[in-house]
Structures are given as structure tokens and as C-alpha cells.
């Protein structure tokens, strides 16, 4: 039986965490929040929501392990709780809460598929972000035969068993390399892809916007990720499917 829960990884998300979770609970009853070693106390802003929302679960990780690690821990809990799918979304309010039911409905109709959000940017979106992701999308498109239209947008629905299997088979995909690499490896494992447009809202610092992306550190991580995937893709082309753990 299809069961989907919204998974929100959070690291020092401040007041945006409560507003995001409250908005999700207004459209979907099942939410798991994974606080990834947060030190700002933002998870405590959710405590009063728990009595009124039986489907809300909060997992606390004592050390910051990265987005991929937070998603893995939330996914493992969700599997044990009987869920079959997770919709992941960021805690910073950029992802479209109103699209949650439509994405889950599409996933229910094709449960073996990845349902990937394709961002629709507003005029407030930084041009550096828009153009910076184009190269990644070109490379990921090549590695997946054009199946993935956007590899960096974290608003998406995953079949849980395949997601957990791919993550547990690799020591990578724990930081900002999670979103692009996991979809490539799931496609290589045979998951079909459904791409669905979704609006993006950017908040600047004055509006409480938060970004933990560090351009030097995390772009270096993404470069090494693309090198791993390109070598695996070449091995796939020349010698058959690459090993999942490569």
C-alpha cells in the first residue's frame, strides 16, 4: 500500500523551520523533521505542534552529518514506520508547499518512479544560482540519457527502498552532493523519472533567508562528484552497468 511522508532535513534553520513545517501540516498530515546537529534551538519551536499533529515526528541527530545523512536517517525511520515513499523538501521555505499533494498524487499513480521537481524561478532568484546549475544539469543529463531535467532541486518524491539501498551502498552522497548523485544512481538502477515543474521562492538575508552552501568547499565537492559519475558512466558505456558502490 502506498504511504508517503514529507521529510524535512534541517540544520540551523531558525524560525523558517516552524513556518515551513506548519505550512506542510496544513496540506499533508505526515511529516518527519530531521534536525542535523542543529545548535540554534530551532527544533524546539516545533514542540507545541506535536500534541495536535499525530503524524509529526522529530528526529534529532547529535552531530551535523550533511543533508544526505539526514535524509538517510529519516528514510530509515520512515521505512520502519511502514511508509513506502518520501517527499523531501528544504526547511528554508523555498520549496512550494502548495505542490506537495500534487507531487504525492503523481507518485502514487507511478509508485516505482522518481518524481523530480523542475524549478521555476522568479525574478528574485540570483542569476549566479540559475547559471551555476546549468553545467551540472548538462552533465547529469548526459549521464542519465536526458531523463533528469534538474539535478539540484531537492523538492522530489523517492521510492524508499531504492533510495535507502543506493545511499547505504556508498560512502558518498552525504553532503551537497546528495541531490544530484542520488538521482543518477537511482536511474542507473532502473527507476523511471517524472519531471514536474515547481515554483521556487528565494529569501534574502533581510527576509530571514539562510544558506549553508559554501561556494568553494561545496563546489569542490560537486566537481569530485561529477568526476566519480563520469568515470562510472564511461565504465557503464564500455563494460556494462557500473557497480552501485562505485
Amino acid at each position: 500500500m502506498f504511504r508517503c511522508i514529507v521529510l524535512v532535513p534541517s540544520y540551523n534553520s531558525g524560525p523558517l523551520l516552524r513556518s515551513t513545517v506548519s505550512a506542510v501540516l496544513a496540506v499533508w498530515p505526515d511529516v518527519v523533521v530531521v534536525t542535523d546537529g542543529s545548535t540554534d534551538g530551532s527544533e524546539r519551536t516545533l514542540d507545541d505542534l506535536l500534541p495536535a499533529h499525530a503524524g509529526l515526528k522529530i528526529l534529532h541527530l547529535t552531530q551535523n552529518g550533511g543533508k544526505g545523512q539526514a535524509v538517510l536517517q529519516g528514510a530509515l525511520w520512515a521505512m520502519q514506520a511502514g511508509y513506502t515513499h518520501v517527499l523531501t523538501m528544504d526547511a528554508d521555505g523555498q520549496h512550494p508547499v502548495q505542490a506537495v499533494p500534487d507531487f504525492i498524487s503523481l507518485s502514487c499513480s507511478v509508485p516505482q518512479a522518481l518524481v523530480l521537481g523542475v524549478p521555476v524561478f522568479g525574478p528574485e532568484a540570483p542569476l549566479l544560482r540559475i547559471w551555476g546549475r546549468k553545467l551540472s544539469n548538462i552533465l547529469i543529463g548526459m549521464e542519465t540519457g536526458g531523463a533528469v531535467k534538474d539535478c539540484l532541486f531537492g523538492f522530489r518524491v523517492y521510492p524508499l527502498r531504492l533510495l535507502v539501498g543506493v545511499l547505504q551502498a556508498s560512502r558518498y552522497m552525504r553532503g551537497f552532493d546528495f541531490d544530484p548523485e542520488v538521482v543518477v544512481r537511482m536511474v542507473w538502477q532502473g527507476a523511471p523519472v517524472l519531471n514536474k515543474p515547481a515554483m521556487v521562492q528565494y529569501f534574502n538575508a533581510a527576509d530571514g533567508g539562510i544558506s549553508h552552501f559554501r561556494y568553494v568547499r561545496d563546489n569542490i565537492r560537486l566537481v569530485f562528484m561529477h568526476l566519480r559519475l563520469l568515470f562510472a558512466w564511461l565504465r557503464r558505456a564500455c563494460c556494462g552497468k557500473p557497480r552501485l558502490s562505485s
Side-chain angles (χ1 to χ4, degrees):
M1 181 179 67
F2 179 91
R3 292 184 67 203
C4 187
I5 189 168
V6 177
L7 195 164
V8 183
S10 173
Y11 173 66
N12 288 350
S13 300
L16 289 172
L17 176 61
R18 180 184 172 87
S19 60
T20 297
V21 173
S22 296
V24 175
L25 288 169
V27 300
W28 197 257
D30 298 322
V31 180
V32 56
V33 178
V34 184
T35 60
D36 185 24
S38 292
T39 58
D40 66 346
S42 53
E43 69 276 9
R44 292 195 294 273
T45 67
L46 304 177
D47 289 345
D48 66 313
L49 296 177
L50 290 168
H53 298 279
L56 175 61
K57 172 70 176 179
I58 304 172
L59 303 179
H60 302 283
L61 305 185
T62 57
Q63 293 185 334
N64 177 243
K67 180 178 182 179
Q69 179 66 14
V71 169
L72 174 58
Q73 295 306 313
L76 287 169
W77 177 88
M79 280 183 58
Q80 293 173 355
Y83 292 94
T84 60
H85 292 70
V86 291
L87 183 152
T88 58
M89 64 182 300
D90 292 347
D92 59 7
Q94 292 187 8
H95 291 168
V97 171
Q98 69 277 8
V100 166
D102 286 343
F103 270 63
I104 293 177
S105 177
L106 181 57
S107 176
C108 182
S109 67
V110 191
Q112 72 274 20
L114 286 163
V115 180
L116 305 181
V118 180
V120 179
F121 295 101
E124 77 283 357
L127 290 177
L128 184 61
R129 288 287 187 92
I130 295 174
W131 287 99
R133 69 196 304 133
K134 288 185 180 294
L135 177 59
S136 284
N137 286 332
I138 290 171
L139 292 171
I140 297 296
M142 180 177 66
E143 293 155 0
T144 61
V148 175
K149 302 306 180 186
D150 190 280
C151 65
L152 294 172
F153 195 43
F155 188 78
R156 47 179 65 159
V157 186
Y158 298 98
L160 263 173
R161 289 194 179 278
L162 184 55
L163 172 65
V164 169
V166 166
L167 284 172
Q168 288 184 325
S170 174
R171 66 181 183 274
Y172 301 111
M173 297 178 280
R174 297 303 187 263
F176 280 101
D177 55 348
F178 163 74
D179 285 318
E181 184 165 356
V182 75
V183 295
V184 172
R185 295 196 179 276
M186 291 179 76
V187 169
W188 284 351
Q189 291 301 303
V193 174
L194 301 175
N195 296 285
K196 186 173 177 61
M199 294 296 299
V200 180
Q201 182 176 4
Y202 276 93
F203 297 98
N204 58 36
D207 297 324
I210 297 171
S211 175
H212 299 296
F213 187 86
R214 299 294 177 262
Y215 278 93
V216 175
R217 178 198 68 187
D218 294 314
N219 277 313
I220 290 173
R221 184 193 295 268
L222 291 174
V223 167
F224 280 104
M225 177 210 71
H226 282 299
L227 289 174
R228 286 197 307 273
L229 291 176
L230 283 171
F231 281 123
W233 177 70
L234 290 171
R235 197 160 62 243
R236 177 187 181 89
C238 296
C239 309
K241 293 182 180 180
R243 294 176 300 164
L244 182 61
S245 59
S246 60

